[in-house]
Amino acid sequence: LADYAMLIQTLRGDLSAEASRAVAFGGSYGGMLAAWFRIKYPHVVCGAVAASAPILAFHHLEPKWDSESYWQTVTRATAASENVPPQLSG
């Protein structure tokens, strides 16, 4: 994460864009990194988009990670997608 913080700050200086804002973003594990980047370097990025990031999937956090609800949701979504007409399934 420190490398990205240094890269953003260097690019701002090199491009005379010190006032430019940056947002971290990512999906799944990349989303976790985006969220952690924002937490650790709030002076470098003004926000983070953490799509599909399992932020609460750590045993020591509250509320507790409910893996059963997660898998029920995945199962329902998968079952529903199996009934999509072929012309809509891409």
Side-chain angles (χ1 to χ4, degrees), residues 4 11 16 18-19 25-26 31 37 39 42 44 47 51 55 57-58 62 67 73-79 81 87:
Y4 285 115
L11 286 173
S16 299
E18 289 83 2
F25 64 92
F37 190 86
I39 291 167
V44 177
I55 301 291
F58 294 91
E62 293 291 335
S67 63
T73 302
V74 170
T75 301
R76 278 194 310 273
T78 303
S81 68
Q87 66 273 19

Side-chain angles (χ1 to χ4, degrees), residues 42-84:
H43 61 286
V44 177
V45 293
C46 62
V49 176
S52 300
I55 301 291
L56 297 177
F58 294 91
H59 295 292
H60 66 283
L61 294 179
E62 293 291 335
K64 295 286 185 195
W65 167 250
D66 182 4
S67 63
E68 185 62 30
S69 291
Y70 170 80
W71 288 114
Q72 287 174 359
T73 302
V74 170
T75 301
R76 278 194 310 273
T78 303
S81 68
E82 291 173 357
N83 297 321
V84 173

Side-chain angles (χ1 to χ4, degrees), residues 32-45:
M32 298 290 290
L33 292 175
W36 290 329
F37 190 86
R38 172 69 174 134
I39 291 167
K40 183 144 179 84
Y41 299 100
H43 61 286
V44 177
V45 293

